[in-house]
Amino acid sequence: QLGVAKKLEMQTGLKMEPAWNSHFVLEPYDFLFDSAVEAYYKGDWLSVILNMEKALRNKATVRKVKTQCRLGCANQTAFGDQLAGTGDPVPGSGSLADLGFFQKILRRADCVKTCESEKLGSPTLHEVTEDVELEFRKRTPYNYLQVAYFKINKLDKAVAAAHTFFQANPDHVEMRQNLDYYKMMAGVEEGHFKDLEAREHMAEFLLGKRFYSNDSFEQAAEHFEVAVREFFTSNQECRVLCEGAYNYDGYNYMEYSADLFQTITDHYMQVLSCKQRCALELATNTDQPFDDFLPSHFNYLQFSYYNSENLEQAIECAKTFLLFYPDDEVMKDNLAYYSVMLGEDKAQTISPRQQSMLEKELLYFGYEAFGITFVDPDKWTPEEIMPKKLRDKQKADRETAARITEEIGNLMKEIETLVEEKKKDSSDVAKMVAPQPGTMTDKQLNGSQRVLLDKVISEDECRELQRLSNAAALKGDGYRGTPSPHSPGEMFQGVTVLKALKLGQEGKVPLKSARAFFDVSEKARRILELYFQLKTPLYFSYSHLVCRSAIDEKQEARTDLSHPVHADNCLLVSEMNECIKEPPAYTHRDYSAILYLNDDFEGGDFIFTKLDAKTVTAEIRPQCGRMVGFGAGKENPHGVRAVTKGQRCAVALWFTLDPAHEEKVGMISTTPTAGSSSAAFMLWLRQAALLFWTSLLLPVQERADENLHPLLFCRRGSKLRRC
């Protein structure tokens, strides 16, 4: 990786000097971010803070400069005034009006380029990858900062950083725990819990709602008015930043061959679509947008002004709200009441705060004329703005969706009936977790969140799954085809539940075997839920039938492990006795289970260790039907000793408490034709789903009809739900 100075020299042609040199250029925030992350893993907390804080400042500076330059240049080169000499077209000379328009375009481009270059340097200097942009949108820098500040005992700053990160990541379990811990610490005050990235319009809106809820209507109106002003200021800044480079989005740059006016149209429609989304972005608090954010300001304002006996402002805000929802009966009644109280004649002279529909009209024209996609973010867009064909299509889609929803509901009831019938015939899983010979608990396994159970499945089921592995497993499956991903002394092969079910439907492996894989993984899930007394369901994150085979000629003087010691949802740094719960670790995993299928091999024992990855706390010998289950976090580092002879097979299962990360399983075939009716679609859906479940539930092998089409399900406990 090139250093910052090198990058600056290459892109600007300037020899980098100390900061007081007249040629000093703002350091790229992506390099500062990388430097901070590197310092984090070295434990250099001061460097983490210096680089990460500077990265945040420099990113804000880049945004501010671009906003100021583009707004300033827009004001200097407005398109509204006609240039001198651009009257009627002169025959044979082209349109002078066109020339005047493009003259202003060129002047604005020169203005923006000059302004940004003078303040920021080369245009490419501050370009960053999408990955880096995503990290800043997720507020990841504050996650690093809260740790660094905590390490140097700056609790007020650590709390603020943690709170700021959590506002954008409210489902981050570890950060919620950190915040709970901070609340109990001496020296931490309520005022330390502040959002360092809070946007003023949103803060004022939330303050207004608080006063409104307490019937403090005058104060509420003041804050809502500030929120409206700040919203439009932020909206203007967001919109001007949309005027960037064209995103080819599916086009090959070299193959894009539109003419002048089509190129202008494509780019301008993309810019307008981006500008329309700004309102949605500004309506987002934490990770969820408020419904009808802008109209709701005027709804709150009209009632606040009425209760403050300011009828003129109440009428203005009520009329403004009706621009968004002209058929709202409650607001029309309010307006009529206010008008009577103020006087009809005076009320008629009060105008709403205006808004323009021209942008939406242009975007819908682009959709109708050129097929340029536009997803309208607003629910209040008047229907007359939309092309008639689109209105008719949306109406038909709504009717079709309603019919399909009803059919899917009926289908799910049928599927659940089949599942219940199967559950009645299955053994009572609760008996499995009751204390019995062979069971080992946390205490016996010298740790926490650990359990060992024997006879979870029968010897026949073990043999069935071993046969499935040898028939369907691929070398290096799950490891990009690398046949020896963990040790050169062993060959690894595996098959997922999705692949097994697909092969079963295609008749390439016995469907009975694929069904057994599905059933035993579901049984393991239920056992973990019951044993660990979970209040929320576990979802499958990944299911893998795996075998490790010793390579005979590579066993001499082996000292490595079959699978190095690791944790399942964090990055184990054994030298520091730490486990860092950050990507690329599978941070969403919460519980794990290994179900063993055989014991006719040498080596291959499963081990738990301490965080140093060396001190073994428990060692487990695999055998058919034995299952070890455990929490997937840093409390349970684990590995596998070398398999020195034979083949070791097991079902490896990872679970999550977050349904967003559940494993996808489905049936794959061809797709319905574009002309398929909704009735035909529902017939296909019913046939596909029932055939899939029948294949899982019945002991008779069925073959999928060649005319069936793809159907994707998500595993939800013992049920498959449409994703």
Side-chain angles (χ1 to χ4, degrees):
Q1 185 182 47
L2 294 173
V4 175
K6 188 67 175 176
K7 181 180 178 183
L8 295 174
E9 289 173 13
M10 290 175 63
Q11 297 201 14
T12 65
L14 301 174
K15 184 68 176 176
M16 291 307 298
E17 302 291 346
W20 55 83
N21 187 281
S22 60
H23 293 304
F24 175 71
V25 180
L26 192 72
E27 290 179 272
Y29 62 88
D30 57 340
F31 278 87
L32 290 166
F33 177 79
D34 289 343
S35 299
V37 173
E38 185 177 345
Y40 178 89
Y41 288 107
K42 292 178 180 177
D44 185 355
W45 309 118
L46 288 176
S47 293
V48 172
I49 293 167
L50 291 171
N51 284 289
M52 202 65 85
E53 292 281 15
K54 193 172 185 181
L56 289 165
R57 288 197 303 273
N58 285 11
K59 183 179 187 301
T61 299
V62 170
R63 189 183 192 280
K64 183 177 180 181
V65 166
K66 288 185 175 182
T67 300
Q68 290 176 342
C69 286
R70 293 178 189 184
L71 286 174
C73 291
N75 292 332
Q76 292 176 27
T77 57
F79 295 124
D81 301 327
Q82 185 172 333
L83 291 182
T86 59
D88 295 330
V90 178
S93 66
S95 170
L96 290 179
D98 283 357
L99 291 175
F101 171 78
F102 284 106
Q103 182 184 42
K104 290 182 178 180
I105 291 284
L106 293 173
R107 284 181 177 176
R108 183 175 297 188
D110 178 59
C111 176
V112 171
K113 180 182 177 183
T114 301
C115 178
E116 292 185 0
S117 297
E118 285 179 353
K119 296 179 180 180
L120 296 176
S122 167
T124 60
L125 183 62
H126 299 285
E127 289 181 358
V128 300
T129 65
E130 187 62 32
D131 289 342
V132 172
E133 278 294 342
L134 179 61
E135 294 297 339
F136 278 84
R137 282 200 299 272
K138 289 163 51 182
R139 301 190 182 183
T140 301
Y142 292 100
N143 198 355
Y144 289 101
L145 282 170
Q146 70 99 14
V147 175
Y149 278 124
F150 177 79
K151 293 288 187 179
I152 65 170
N153 204 32
K154 294 284 186 181
L155 290 183
D156 56 335
K157 292 183 178 295
V159 171
H163 183 75
T164 302
F165 176 81
F166 189 68
Q167 294 308 299
N169 303 273
D171 296 325
H172 198 285
V173 176
E174 190 174 58
M175 192 59 75
R176 182 185 291 112
Q177 293 171 346
N178 286 354
L179 288 168
D180 290 341
Y181 176 68
Y182 285 135
K183 290 174 184 176
M184 296 185 293
M185 294 185 70
V188 174
E189 302 172 4
E190 185 177 351
H192 295 159
F193 293 85
K194 53 189 175 184
D195 184 358
L196 301 174
E197 292 282 340
R199 293 179 289 193
E200 189 168 354
H201 74 275
M202 184 61 72
E204 291 292 336
F205 176 73
L206 295 175
L207 270 174
K209 285 185 66 177
R210 188 182 306 167
F211 283 113
Y212 185 93
S213 298
N214 293 330
D215 293 341
S216 301
F217 294 108
E218 288 188 12
Q219 295 97 320
E222 291 174 7
H223 287 288
F224 284 129
E225 288 289 9
V226 174
V228 170
R229 289 197 300 272
E230 292 300 325
F231 174 88
F232 283 113
T233 299
S234 298
N235 191 45
Q236 186 182 37
E237 293 173 355
C238 173
R239 288 164 60 83
V240 80
L241 291 173
C242 288
E243 298 168 359
Y246 180 62
N247 178 7
Y248 286 87
D249 190 26
Y251 287 106
N252 183 316
Y253 172 79
M254 300 300 293
E255 295 175 358
Y256 184 74
S257 57
D259 63 19
L260 171 64
F261 294 103
Q262 185 62 55
T263 301
I264 293 172
T265 298
D266 289 344
H267 197 165
Y268 192 58
M269 290 296 103
Q270 192 176 92
V271 168
L272 287 186
S273 186
C274 172
K275 289 182 175 184
Q276 285 286 306
R277 290 196 299 273
C278 282
L280 183 64
E281 179 185 329
L282 294 174
T284 302
N285 185 42
T286 65
D287 63 341
Q288 292 295 325
F290 282 103
D291 284 337
D292 292 331
F293 184 62
L294 183 57
S296 69
H297 284 71
F298 299 104
N299 193 0
Y300 284 118
L301 278 168
Q302 60 89 22
F303 196 68
S304 296
Y305 280 129
Y306 164 70
N307 282 281
S308 304
E309 299 182 358
N310 188 338
L311 290 175
E312 292 185 12
Q313 291 283 30
I315 289 171
E316 180 193 57
C317 292
K319 287 184 175 181
T320 304
F321 181 87
L322 287 170
L323 291 177
F324 296 97
Y325 293 106
D327 298 324
D328 189 285
E329 294 298 332
V330 173
M331 192 60 71
K332 287 195 290 187
D333 289 344
N334 286 358
L335 178 59
Y337 178 71
Y338 302 155
S339 299
V340 169
M341 292 188 67
L342 182 68
E344 296 282 358
D345 293 340
K346 191 172 183 180
Q348 287 180 0
T349 65
I350 299 173
S351 300
R353 306 181 192 185
Q354 295 295 326
Q355 61 171 338
S356 172
M357 292 288 115
L358 183 57
E359 272 190 9
K360 289 185 185 290
E361 290 176 6
L362 289 174
L363 285 161
Y364 278 119
F365 177 80
Y367 168 84
E368 189 173 32
F370 304 108
I372 299 173
T373 302
F374 167 53
V375 179
D376 195 331
D378 299 314
K379 299 178 181 178
W380 47 262
T381 301
E383 278 200 354
E384 59 268 21
I385 297 292
M386 305 179 193
K388 185 177 184 304
K389 287 183 180 179
L390 179 61
R391 294 201 302 269
D392 293 342
K393 180 179 181 298
Q394 288 182 346
K395 181 180 178 182
D397 287 346
R398 286 194 296 268
E399 292 172 352
T400 301
R403 287 197 302 271
I404 290 176
T405 299
E406 183 180 359
E407 288 290 336
I408 288 176
N410 295 333
L411 173 62
M412 291 306 168
K413 289 179 182 177
E414 294 179 32
I415 290 175
E416 289 175 6
T417 299
L418 290 171
V419 173
E420 291 303 319
E421 290 174 357
K422 178 174 174 61
K423 288 172 70 177
K424 290 177 183 177
D425 296 332
S426 63
S427 60
D428 187 1
V429 174
K431 295 178 181 178
M432 187 66 65
V433 300
Q436 56 182 307
T439 300
M440 297 182 72
T441 62
D442 291 346
K443 185 175 181 181
Q444 293 161 305
L445 292 171
N446 303 314
S448 63
Q449 293 278 291
R450 298 176 182 178
V451 65
L452 182 148
L453 298 164
D454 279 337
K455 298 182 180 179
V456 172
I457 61 175
S458 67
E459 291 188 3
D460 287 342
E461 288 173 307
C462 287
R463 286 191 291 269
E464 190 75 52
L465 292 174
Q466 269 196 281
R467 284 195 293 268
L468 175 63
S469 174
N470 290 322
L474 298 175
K475 291 182 180 179
D477 183 68
Y479 293 93
R480 299 181 180 178
T482 304
S484 300
H486 303 302
S487 169
E490 297 174 23
M491 188 272 289
F492 180 95
Q493 64 187 48
V495 62
T496 63
V497 68
L498 167 61
K499 182 68 173 177
L501 291 170
K502 182 174 182 291
L503 293 175
Q505 289 291 337
E506 294 171 352
K508 294 179 180 178
V509 299
L511 199 52
K512 177 184 175 184
S513 301
R515 186 177 69 249
F517 185 5
F518 183 91
D519 286 347
V520 300
S521 60
E522 167 59 22
K523 189 174 186 179
R525 185 192 68 83
R526 290 286 295 129
I527 289 172
L528 289 193
E529 279 186 347
L530 288 170
Y531 182 82
F532 290 117
Q533 299 180 2
L534 302 180
K535 295 180 180 178
T536 56
L538 283 176
Y539 301 92
F540 288 93
S541 170
Y542 195 58
S543 311
H544 213 196
L545 173 56
V546 298
C547 290
R548 309 163 186 271
S549 301
I551 301 173
D552 293 338
E553 60 271 20
K554 295 185 178 181
Q555 297 307 309
E556 188 174 349
R558 272 190 69 181
T559 58
D560 63 343
L561 295 175
S562 174
H563 198 141
V565 173
H566 63 284
D568 287 341
N569 71 7
C570 55
L571 302 174
L572 183 61
V573 185
S574 57
E575 296 83 359
M576 300 173 62
N577 282 339
E578 286 190 11
C579 203
I580 301 166
K581 196 171 182 179
E582 293 290 346
Y586 297 102
T587 56
H588 56 273
R589 292 178 176 174
D590 297 296
Y591 287 89
S592 307
I594 309 293
L595 179 58
Y596 299 107
L597 305 180
N598 65 318
D599 61 1
D600 54 342
F601 55 88
E602 294 180 6
D605 286 3
F606 180 92
I607 56 173
F608 284 116
T609 74
K610 292 185 177 180
L611 283 170
D612 62 6
K614 297 175 183 178
T615 307
V616 175
T617 58
E619 186 160 351
I620 297 167
R621 178 63 191 169
Q623 66 182 45
C624 169
R626 173 168 286 177
M627 187 182 88
V628 57
F630 50 94
K634 64 181 182 180
E635 70 276 7
N636 286 316
H638 56 279
V640 180
R641 294 200 186 279
V643 177
T644 56
K645 186 176 182 180
Q647 184 187 63
R648 174 191 189 271
C649 295
V651 176
L653 302 165
W654 293 270
F655 303 95
T656 177
L657 294 169
D658 183 355
H661 293 283
E662 65 187 341
E663 184 176 30
K664 304 294 189 291
V665 293
M667 293 163 44
I668 306 230
S669 149
T670 57
T671 53
T673 60
S676 298
S677 67
S678 61
F681 171 78
M682 287 312 307
L683 178 61
W684 156 71
L685 178 61
R686 179 180 297 279
Q687 290 174 335
L690 291 178
L691 176 62
F692 180 80
W693 271 98
T694 301
S695 69
L696 289 178
L697 301 175
L698 301 180
V700 179
Q701 178 171 342
E702 299 278 356
R703 289 297 303 276
D705 189 313
E706 292 180 357
N707 294 322
L708 287 180
H709 310 297
L711 183 62
L712 188 62
F713 289 94
C714 296
R715 296 177 70 151
R716 297 276 176 89
S718 59
K719 303 177 177 63
L720 292 190
R721 299 284 193 189
R722 272 180 56 80
C723 300

